[in-house]
Amino acid sequence: MKKTKAKLSKNNSGRKFENTITAFIKNAENIYLPGISIDTVIFSFHDGKLRVLLIRYGDMPFYNLPGGYVEKEETLEDAALRILRRRTGLNAIFPEQFYIADSLERTRNNAVVRMMTKLNVDLTGNHWFEQRFISVCFYALTDEAKVRITIQDFISEFKWFDIGQLPDLFLDHKLIVEKALSRLRVDLYQRPVGLNLMNKPFTMGELQQLYEIIDQRKLDRTNFQRKMLSMNILERLEKKQTGKAYKSPYLYRFKQSDN
Amino acid sequence: MKKTKAKLSKNNSGRKFENTITAFIKNAENIYLPGISIDTVIFSFHDGKLRVLLIRYGDMPFYNLPGGYVEKEETLEDAALRILRRRTGLNAIFPEQFYIADSLERTRNNAVVRMMTKLNVDLTGNHWFEQRFISVCFYALTDEAKVRITIQDFISEFKWFDIGQLPDLFLDHKLIVEKALSRLRVDLYQRPVGLNLMNKPFTMGELQQLYEIIDQRKLDRTNFQRKMLSMNILERLEKKQTGKAYKSPYLYRFKQSDN
DNA sequence: ACAAAAGTGTTAACATTACACCCATGA
DNA sequence: TCATGGGTGTAATGTTAACACTTTTGT
């Protein structure tokens, strides 16, 4: 499995990181609603694997879901959109709210404050990170090829992970990914999930692979084909793939008119 | 349509009300999370009508959904349970989170502060009600006969309303009821919705009435009967109703073992 | 020619819908 | 005995699942 990786050099990242975060915590309570955060699960489908975008702060030994806070005059969905745009560079994203993480375990051991302290952030006089946060969670479907990741804010690393091989995650972020997956499973046959995950023309077999990963079961090839075509959301392109020792499959793409 | 009504006499309610609310706003910020509230849509099924429990504060000209706040060390569901228990006296309730009300319109014109002022509450030095609130909304299904309403806190009146004849509601509470209904419509065939709404033995026709109100369409009598029985969640009682000029129907109740 | 995968056709099993029919009951 | 609503039977229709068959292509 290929993983996209971007890491700052140790030299100048440290200073930049501390500057940014200091400015952030100074203003946070004036800009954002208290006690509410946003976490996003950003999916992509690449090399036949369903992947999630994770980020790492400084040199923490765990990864986080991309997240942020809600501005005082902003809806939750707008906040999710803003965060998603900032992280992925994408405008055409459709965040779907699927869960509220409100476990009391989230504040256990003051995890956020401890993280900030390890990152050498001076929190004296600032209580923003000490409060209990309830996180509203959104998922989004993206085309990895279109995502333009830039290192910004106080993030040191971005990486796409196969959902079957997640690293250690902060707090309850692993649970959040699982909740996103089970919601995605429900949405699979209700919404055009493939539309945002598959942007290049694809074969029916590739689309079936995606459905099988999300649905976690083997689907009948012939029935899957008919079901997809009967929904009338796919457009068959006359072009065909070449090179392999079998009949070239048709390529498809999602119709633009629908949705 | 019968409506249960309970109203305090003008004489002693005013003083009691002001005492309670003053104590409340003094302690609110120490006890509750900032910026997050809970609203509950409490359904019942009575006289063939689907009803919602609404409350009125003081002599305000509109009704509110029963609501409350989240304690600092409490999950959202626990908060909803606590609020529901306090309002209905019921323990066996299964709140279902269905919506987050985060519209910016909610703080328009400082509606909460204006309400408090009209209620003669002294808010000097207290900014609890000035902040923007995001409300997490739960619905619950109850048996009206088992609900024990007591006038408490700063509420002057409780009333059950037919969902087709709702009065003026505070803020976006009408929208919240609509969201609850459309969620209930989805849950109707997934969860034992009838279990909590129908506690006395009922005829198949009565159950069908409930389903038709929620589902908003006419159902075939004979197929409905078979469908319900095939789910194996109903217990047929050998007793029969009497008195009317037609065959006495069987009575049913939900099996206790399931759920 | 053969293996592998794509595409099409067919049928059985199952669920849903519509409606015909009979039953019990009180006026 | 008639009107009314309750209970059961059944055929038509639609949906899903399983699998046989044919087509295309590189070795």
Side-chain angles (χ1 to χ4, degrees):
Chain A
M1 192 190 67
K2 279 193 306 182
K3 281 173 190 161
T4 316
K5 192 167 174 174
K7 199 161 185 171
L8 288 179
S9 67
K10 282 258 173 179
N11 297 338
N12 50 10
S13 73
R15 182 178 306 276
K16 185 190 177 194
F17 174 84
E18 283 174 38
N19 285 346
T20 322
I21 203 165
T22 303
F24 169 78
I25 64 162
K26 224 171 154 179
N27 287 309
E29 70 180 325
N30 299 321
I31 299 173
Y32 300 111
L33 293 179
I36 298 175
S37 59
I38 302 274
D39 281 309
T40 64
V41 181
I42 304 172
F43 288 110
S44 74
F45 186 61
H46 197 84
D47 287 341
K49 303 279 185 183
L50 188 66
R51 297 160 133 203
V52 172
L53 184 61
L54 298 176
I55 64 184
R56 206 155 65 82
Y57 293 113
D59 50 2
M60 292 290 105
F62 47 76
Y63 287 80
N64 288 56
L65 289 170
Y69 302 98
V70 184
E71 293 175 5
K72 299 226 183 220
E73 296 291 327
E74 185 182 46
T75 64
L76 296 171
E77 184 169 322
D78 284 344
L81 265 171
R82 175 174 52 75
I83 292 161
L84 285 165
R85 286 198 186 111
R86 186 156 172 81
R87 296 292 173 238
T88 66
L90 294 177
N91 279 304
I93 29 185
F94 305 98
E96 191 67 23
Q97 191 210 293
F98 65 94
Y99 182 61
I100 303 185
D102 67 340
S103 152
L104 296 174
E105 296 293 298
R106 308 194 99 232
T107 31
R108 187 168 42 96
N109 298 332
N110 244 325
V112 177
V113 171
R114 287 197 311 152
M115 180 168 84
M116 289 299 159
T117 308
K118 272 195 187 158
L119 291 170
N120 291 322
V121 176
D122 180 19
L123 288 175
T124 46
N126 192 299
H127 299 283
W128 173 258
F129 293 110
E130 284 171 17
Q131 65 187 315
R132 176 180 168 202
F133 275 95
I134 283 168
S135 183
V136 183
C137 305
F138 291 80
Y139 80 76
L141 306 170
T142 66
D143 178 3
E144 206 166 299
K146 290 192 177 176
V147 172
R148 290 280 165 269
I149 294 171
T150 50
I151 291 293
Q152 57 200 357
D153 301 333
F154 22 82
I155 293 158
S156 64
E157 184 188 349
F158 283 87
K159 218 171 188 172
W160 290 100
F161 284 90
D162 183 340
I163 52 153
Q165 300 179 332
L166 295 180
D168 274 350
L169 290 180
F170 187 55
L171 287 176
D172 53 357
H173 288 194
K174 193 149 204 163
L175 172 69
I176 292 174
V177 173
E178 276 157 21
K179 295 274 183 187
L181 272 169
S182 69
R183 172 61 174 272
L184 187 56
R185 207 160 292 139
V186 173
D187 289 352
L188 188 57
Y189 296 101
Q190 321 280 341
R191 307 172 160 279
V193 165
L195 175 65
N196 297 300
L197 286 173
M198 318 279 277
N199 250 293
K200 282 182 271 299
F202 48 89
T203 67
M204 202 51 92
E206 287 164 351
L207 187 64
Q208 186 179 341
Q209 244 190 328
L210 170 64
Y211 272 67
E212 288 183 343
I213 287 175
I214 296 175
D215 209 5
Q216 291 190 318
R217 65 188 176 114
K218 200 94 193 68
L219 301 173
D220 181 279
R221 182 180 60 85
T222 65
N223 294 331
F224 177 79
Q225 165 128 342
R226 250 182 309 249
K227 189 169 189 173
M228 284 300 132
L229 292 179
S230 74
M231 295 197 302
N232 212 34
I233 54 173
L234 294 183
E235 192 174 354
R236 175 180 281 182
L237 307 175
E238 284 308 321
K239 294 184 294 173
K240 306 187 179 196
Q241 269 189 331
T242 43
K244 287 287 174 54
Y246 49 83
K247 189 178 182 177
S248 301
Y250 285 104
L251 291 177
Y252 297 88
R253 68 175 169 213
F254 284 87
K255 287 182 184 170
Q256 291 307 319
S257 47
D258 302 89
N259 192 314
Chain B
M1 192 188 68
K2 278 192 306 183
K3 281 172 190 163
T4 315
K5 192 166 174 173
K7 199 160 185 173
L8 288 179
S9 67
K10 282 256 175 182
N11 296 337
N12 51 11
S13 71
R15 182 177 307 276
K16 186 192 173 191
F17 176 83
E18 284 173 36
N19 285 346
T20 320
I21 203 164
T22 303
F24 170 78
I25 64 159
K26 225 173 154 178
N27 288 308
E29 70 180 326
N30 300 319
I31 297 172
Y32 299 111
L33 292 179
I36 297 176
S37 60
I38 302 274
D39 281 310
T40 65
V41 181
I42 304 173
F43 288 110
S44 75
F45 186 61
H46 198 82
D47 287 340
K49 302 278 186 185
L50 189 65
R51 297 162 132 202
V52 172
L53 184 62
L54 298 176
I55 64 184
R56 207 155 64 81
Y57 293 113
D59 49 2
M60 292 289 104
F62 47 76
Y63 287 80
N64 289 55
L65 290 170
Y69 302 97
V70 185
E71 292 174 6
K72 300 225 184 220
E73 297 289 325
E74 186 182 46
T75 64
L76 295 171
E77 183 169 323
D78 284 344
L81 265 171
R82 174 174 53 75
I83 291 161
L84 286 165
R85 286 199 186 111
R86 187 156 172 82
R87 296 293 173 237
T88 65
L90 295 176
N91 279 304
I93 28 186
F94 306 97
E96 192 68 21
Q97 191 212 294
F98 65 92
Y99 183 60
I100 302 185
D102 66 340
S103 152
L104 297 174
E105 295 293 298
R106 309 193 98 230
T107 31
R108 190 168 40 97
N109 298 332
N110 246 326
V112 177
V113 170
R114 288 195 312 152
M115 180 169 82
M116 290 298 159
T117 308
K118 273 195 186 157
L119 291 170
N120 292 322
V121 176
D122 179 18
L123 287 175
T124 44
N126 191 299
H127 300 283
W128 174 257
F129 293 109
E130 284 170 16
Q131 65 187 313
R132 175 179 169 203
F133 275 95
I134 282 168
S135 182
V136 183
C137 306
F138 290 81
Y139 80 78
L141 306 170
T142 66
D143 179 4
E144 207 167 298
K146 290 192 176 175
V147 171
R148 290 281 164 269
I149 293 170
T150 51
I151 291 291
Q152 55 199 358
D153 301 334
F154 24 79
I155 293 159
S156 64
E157 185 187 350
F158 283 87
K159 218 172 189 171
W160 291 99
F161 283 90
D162 183 340
I163 51 153
Q165 299 178 331
L166 295 180
D168 273 349
L169 291 180
F170 187 55
L171 286 177
D172 53 357
H173 288 194
K174 192 149 205 163
L175 173 68
I176 292 173
V177 173
E178 276 157 22
K179 295 273 182 187
L181 272 170
S182 68
R183 173 61 174 271
L184 187 57
R185 205 158 294 137
V186 174
D187 288 353
L188 188 58
Y189 296 100
Q190 320 282 341
R191 308 173 161 278
V193 164
L195 175 64
N196 297 299
L197 286 173
M198 318 279 276
N199 250 294
K200 282 184 272 299
F202 48 88
T203 68
M204 203 51 91
E206 287 163 351
L207 187 64
Q208 186 180 341
Q209 242 190 329
L210 171 64
Y211 272 68
E212 287 182 343
I213 288 175
I214 297 176
D215 209 4
Q216 290 189 317
R217 64 187 177 117
K218 200 95 192 71
L219 301 173
D220 182 279
R221 181 179 60 86
T222 63
N223 295 329
F224 178 79
Q225 164 129 341
R226 251 183 307 251
K227 188 170 189 172
M228 284 300 133
L229 292 177
S230 75
M231 293 198 303
N232 213 34
I233 54 171
L234 295 183
E235 193 174 354
R236 175 179 281 181
L237 307 174
E238 284 307 321
K239 297 183 293 175
K240 306 187 179 199
Q241 268 189 332
T242 44
K244 288 287 175 54
Y246 48 83
K247 188 177 181 178
S248 301
Y250 286 103
L251 291 177
Y252 297 89
R253 69 173 168 215
F254 284 88
K255 287 181 184 170
Q256 291 308 318
S257 46
D258 302 88
N259 193 314

